[in-house]
């Protein structure tokens, strides 16, 4: 169920209340005022620019990718999990850089989603239409700017995990 006025919302609970993130802010007074009026409002991270970006994939493929990246000794930053998708936060990247990276691949599963400039990512403790959002890997306590890997460092493992996981194909559920 979603609080927006669209009865057939395709991303229930996983989008801003206000269109286009026009009202996004880090102003603590404004955030408190909003939460007194809408205590169940989702917490969103605007991605791109100087802010973190993310790559998300279906939850089973996300779990497999994390195991593979851990086995490789890859240093990761925060990972956000919903019941259906996991999102690995990565350093900011531009569309041109991402396009070059993906163009070099033989194929990229349609189940991978890239959250860059102009996008957003649902963060804990929000609730999406599929359930509670949680940290699979929490940001380090007291860290205002967590360390994040470059997208190039993780994309091969994410493509491989999405391709190798049953049901890791074109699932579009949030």
């Amino acid at each position: 169920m979603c609080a927006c006025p669209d009865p057939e919302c395709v991303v229930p609970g996983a989008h801003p209340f206000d269109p286009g993130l026009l009202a996004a802010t880090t102003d603590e007074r404004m955030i408190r005022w909003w939460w007194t009026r809408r205590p169940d409002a989702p917490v969103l991270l605007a991605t791109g620019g100087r802010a973190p970006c993310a790559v998300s994939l279906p939850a089973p493929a996300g779990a497999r990718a994390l195991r593979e990246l851990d086995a490789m000794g890859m240093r990761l930053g925060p990972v956000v999990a919903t019941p259906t998708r996991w999102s690995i936060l990565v350093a900011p990247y531009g569309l041109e850089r991402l396009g070059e990276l993906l163009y070099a691949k033989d194929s990229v599963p349609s189940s991978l989603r890239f959250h860059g400039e102009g996008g957003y990512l649902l963060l804990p403790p929000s609730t999406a239409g599929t359930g509670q959002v949680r940290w699979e890997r929490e940001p380090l306590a007291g860290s205002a700017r967590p360390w994040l890997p470059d997208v190039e460092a993780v994309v091969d493992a994410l493509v491989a995990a999405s391709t190798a996981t049953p049901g890791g194909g074109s699932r579009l559920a949030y």
Side-chain angles (χ1 to χ4, degrees):
M1 189 95 205
C2 190
C4 78
D6 182 357
E8 297 187 24
C9 180
V10 296
V11 288
H15 62 87
F17 280 126
D18 297 310
L21 293 176
L22 296 176
T25 186
T26 58
D27 182 294
E28 194 174 320
R29 292 172 303 144
M30 190 73 213
I31 293 168
R32 285 185 189 172
W33 183 79
W34 280 336
W35 273 350
T36 58
R37 298 185 66 166
R38 294 183 177 157
D40 60 340
V43 177
L44 300 171
L45 169 69
T47 56
R50 293 187 339 223
C53 292
V55 181
S56 69
L57 60 168
R64 172 179 248 158
L66 254 54
R67 284 192 304 274
E68 290 176 15
L69 290 165
D70 285 343
M72 293 169 34
M74 174 70 62
R75 181 179 177 199
L76 294 176
V79 177
V80 176
T82 70
T84 58
R85 294 196 70 81
W86 286 18
S87 300
I88 297 174
L89 274 69
V90 295
Y93 58 78
L95 287 179
E96 183 177 327
R97 182 173 159 207
L98 179 63
E100 290 169 0
L101 177 66
L102 298 178
Y103 182 76
K105 304 284 176 232
D106 290 333
S107 67
V108 177
S110 62
S111 60
L112 285 179
R113 293 198 194 121
F114 298 90
H115 307 266
E117 186 73 38
Y120 51 87
L121 186 65
L122 194 61
L123 295 178
S126 303
T127 302
T130 57
Q132 188 69 40
V133 180
R134 63 180 175 79
W135 292 109
E136 179 62 28
R137 301 258 170 105
E138 291 189 40
L140 296 176
S143 173
R145 295 186 67 87
W147 181 88
L148 301 169
D150 286 331
V151 68
E152 292 94 341
V154 299
V155 78
D156 286 339
L158 302 182
V159 168
S162 289
T163 304
T165 304
S170 300
R171 186 172 179 175
L172 294 177
Y174 280 81

